Amino acid sequence: MVSRVIPVDPFDLVIFGGTGDLAQRKILPALFRRFCAGQWPDDAQIIGAARAEYTPDAFREVVAESLRSHAPAQSRNADALNTFLQRVDYVPLDALSDTAWDRLAAKLADDRVRAFYFSVGPQLFGQLAERIKHHDLATPKTRIVVEKPFGHDLESARALNATLAAHFSEGQIYRIDHYLGKETVQNLMAVRFGNMLFEPLWNSQYVDHIQITVAESVGIDGREEYYDRAGAMRDMMQNHLMQLLCLIAMEPPAKFDPDAVRDEKLKVIRALDPVEPHHIVRGQFDAGPSGAGYRDTVGNPRSTTESYVALRAHVSNWRWAGTPFYLRTGKRLIERSSVINVMFKDAPHSIFGADAGRHANVLSIRLQPNEGITLKVTIKEPGPGGMRLVDVPLDMSFAEALGSENQDPPDAYERLVMDVIRGNQTLFMRGDEVEAAWAWTDPIIAGWQARGDVPKPYDSGSTGPGDAELLMKRDGRRWQGINP
Ligand code: NAD
């Protein structure tokens, strides 16, 4: 199946931090893939802006190198690569200084969509917003894209929202959570709201509990200083897992429209109960074959920052009363895998007797790897010998079903950057959502600090600390395998 490509309006996209890791590894390759797919109009350009004193040609060389590594299939087409590079420009610019902004302004066209991507450290977000406005670079068609982390806590997120709001309207601010750009996450909404099959069962009467796992096999990877100040709660739970929880738990929005969807997500966050301390497990990885332990990695022998967190959350509303949500995320785990498991209740009565065993349906939504959806259903074990039941998967791998096995799966950034140009904010976080998520997370972190809580060690390459198993066991439940 070939996806339809609708070209976007002419645009100028300025990437502040264009020489950095995120720009080179994700944003520019995503833009190049959309270029190769035919989604760019003729009048469109990218302007890198960062502190390095590159000439435009030197920057193009850096970009070409990155594209060869991160978009290898498309870069083999030399014509496409060269044409794309002709659309790439560069201005050396310091976000903390007022020089060189006129050079940037001279490269921008007044009538095009104008997007400023803040792919720099969060301490520069406010400065950039102020300088764009001060140097008169903002037009009615201007959008700004803000990377994570959006604040460190509620207070800093509020301050950042206020700074951005002083210069841009909410409709111009695109707060990225790249999980929302993943194909399966959007499919989650299609599955829930495009089928009659699931929605009538999507409540506490039929769903026993929901598990959300975002497991990473890698460690901290050059982000030691940031990570040791953040930890898994701020780095993953407050944003990515919270967003997944919102999409699973929200009421059907009246339409697939940015504010309708975000209003429903916000209601979920606001309905979350505070988490009891005994419903949270924190962990820190030990040394293992894949590298040093957490404290050695971050160079802080007394660090009490968690690289793993598991918790039980409750959404206190009519639909979900009594259905717990178990969320876990961690680094250096056995496998890289993001999956949501909707665990349905047992059939109320087994007509087959105790020997047949009890079986419940599980809907697994895999975000990575191998994006797809599996529904476990109970059938009779084949063959003679009585009525024994087994669970079998009804499996839908998107790569197979949509005939895209031989193509790279689209990266979340491809979708998100094009949505910025299109002016569609549905898959971006609104300011009040981010603040509500911090308002839920802050007391959890404050509780750890007040109690002097120390994370439990866990083996690198394991499924996390044993206490996370106990969290489930106490409730008579257990985690599904990290990779179902
Ligand atoms: P990086 O350190 O690799 O790059 C930072 C970029 O900012 C460089 O281009 C640098 O020249 C530029 N820069 C620094 N100070 C500047 C200044 N005063 N004026 C102008 N430019 C300046 O960082 P990164 O990993 O690319 O991350 C960028 C942002 O994206 C950060 O907010 C980070 O939290 C976020 N992010 C990164 C990733 C990732 O995978 N790298 C993932 C999610 C979010």
Side-chain angles (χ1 to χ4, degrees):
M1 193 180 296
V2 179
S3 64
R4 266 187 317 146
V5 174
I6 303 169
V8 294
D9 287 342
F11 64 87
D12 289 335
L13 171 64
V14 179
I15 307 178
F16 292 111
T19 59
D21 175 69
L22 181 71
Q24 296 291 324
R25 212 163 38 81
K26 289 286 182 186
I27 306 170
L28 285 155
L31 283 158
F32 180 45
R33 285 196 210 100
R34 295 330 297 158
F35 175 83
C36 293
Q39 201 158 18
W40 279 42
D42 288 340
D43 295 334
Q45 63 166 342
I46 300 169
I47 303 166
R51 273 188 309 194
E53 288 290 336
Y54 285 132
T55 60
D57 275 340
F59 181 64
R60 284 182 199 114
E61 274 175 38
V62 173
V63 175
E65 207 44 52
S66 297
L67 297 180
R68 285 189 196 103
S69 304
H70 301 293
Q74 291 81 357
S75 331
R76 278 196 281 277
N77 180 340
D79 283 347
L81 183 60
N82 287 332
T83 320
F84 178 79
L85 291 173
Q86 282 162 24
R87 310 277 198 90
V88 174
D89 205 340
Y90 184 76
V91 180
L93 179 146
D94 187 338
L96 300 173
S97 140
D98 281 313
T99 52
W101 288 83
D102 50 342
R103 288 180 56 201
L104 176 59
K107 291 180 186 283
L108 303 173
D110 284 339
D111 52 341
R112 296 183 190 171
V113 169
R114 190 175 283 187
F116 294 102
Y117 199 124
F118 295 2
S119 182
V120 292
Q123 73 285 2
L124 298 179
F125 294 165
Q127 298 269 350
L128 283 173
E130 278 167 12
R131 287 203 161 79
I132 289 169
K133 217 44 201 248
H134 175 72
H135 291 280
D136 225 7
L137 264 58
T139 60
K141 287 193 193 171
T142 291
R143 284 126 215 202
I144 58 169
V145 186
V146 188
E147 262 299 337
K148 85 168 211 192
F150 197 92
H152 186 72
D153 52 17
L154 177 58
E155 196 186 335
S156 54
R158 272 194 184 139
L160 181 53
N161 271 335
T163 307
L164 300 183
H167 304 292
F168 297 95
S169 68
E170 183 61 34
Q172 294 180 293
I173 305 170
Y174 289 70
R175 296 175 193 77
I176 287 240
D177 183 325
H178 72 271
Y179 266 60
L180 294 180
K182 287 182 184 289
E183 196 75 1
T184 317
V185 172
Q186 295 161 62
N187 248 313
L188 176 57
M189 287 187 271
V191 166
R192 271 195 70 188
F193 304 128
N195 295 287
M196 258 318 269
L197 194 60
F198 297 111
E199 198 48 30
L201 308 179
W202 211 260
N203 55 52
S204 58
Q205 203 183 337
Y206 297 101
V207 177
D208 178 71
H209 70 282
I210 290 177
Q211 304 183 6
I212 303 179
T213 297
V214 177
E216 294 178 283
S217 53
V218 294
I220 315 296
D221 285 345
R223 299 160 68 219
E224 295 83 0
E225 201 189 317
Y226 154 75
Y227 195 91
D228 201 38
R229 276 183 284 115
M233 193 73 187
R234 288 187 172 99
D235 186 50
M236 298 295 290
M237 189 65 80
Q238 185 271 347
N239 39 63
H240 303 319
L241 281 90
M242 183 76 82
Q243 289 294 322
L244 299 180
L245 166 66
C246 286
L247 296 176
I248 279 280
M250 73 182 183
E251 295 301 315
K255 47 189 170 175
F256 193 57
D257 151 288
D259 277 327
V261 171
R262 297 185 301 176
D263 285 346
E264 295 306 335
K265 283 162 59 194
L266 179 62
K267 285 187 209 160
V268 173
I269 306 177
R270 290 196 172 148
L272 280 169
D273 287 343
V275 184
E276 304 281 337
H278 62 284
H279 288 154
I280 310 181
V281 177
R282 297 170 81 212
Q284 208 180 54
F285 61 79
D286 271 339
S290 49
Y294 179 86
R295 292 178 176 189
D296 285 338
T297 305
V298 298
N300 178 1
R302 293 176 176 203
S303 175
T304 56
T305 302
E306 76 287 350
S307 60
Y308 176 99
V309 63
L311 57 81
R312 186 177 112 176
H314 285 272
V315 180
S316 271
N317 63 15
W318 193 288
R319 184 188 286 262
W320 293 118
T323 295
F325 289 73
Y326 297 91
L327 279 57
R328 63 177 168 170
T329 181
K331 298 214 170 270
R332 284 272 196 86
L333 296 177
I334 184 166
E335 237 168 310
R336 169 176 175 262
S337 153
S338 300
V339 59
I340 302 169
N341 287 305
V342 181
M343 313 290 295
F344 288 91
K345 290 187 174 172
D346 287 343
H349 165 71
S350 172
I351 64 168
F352 305 112
D355 288 351
R358 290 185 80 81
H359 299 263
N361 300 121
V362 181
L363 180 70
S364 297
I365 301 150
R366 294 186 304 276
L367 273 55
Q368 62 189 22
N370 186 21
E371 297 190 28
I373 291 181
T374 305
L375 177 64
K376 274 194 200 140
V377 290
T378 302
I379 60 160
K380 177 191 168 298
E381 194 176 273
M387 191 66 156
R388 285 184 309 271
L389 303 182
V390 286
D391 291 333
V392 293
L394 286 180
D395 202 339
M396 185 172 107
S397 153
F398 294 152
E400 271 172 38
L402 303 179
S404 53
E405 283 156 285
N406 301 322
Q407 290 173 18
D408 294 339
D411 188 89
Y413 280 90
E414 290 180 48
R415 168 73 198 246
L416 294 175
V417 181
M418 287 297 110
D419 275 358
V420 172
I421 307 298
R422 276 190 283 257
N424 184 346
Q425 290 187 303
T426 310
L427 300 176
F428 296 82
M429 295 179 294
R430 212 167 50 191
D432 51 4
E433 268 184 86
V434 178
E435 289 184 15
W438 281 121
W440 181 75
T441 317
D442 275 3
I444 299 175
I445 298 170
W448 293 336
Q449 285 163 352
R451 290 191 300 275
D453 190 270
V454 177
K456 299 272 164 31
Y458 62 92
D459 291 338
S460 283
S462 69
T463 56
D467 282 13
E469 304 298 331
L470 284 179
L471 176 76
M472 283 289 206
K473 210 170 168 188
R474 280 202 308 258
D475 295 345
R477 301 182 171 110
R478 62 182 182 81
W479 294 105
Q480 295 285 292
I482 278 190
N483 205 356

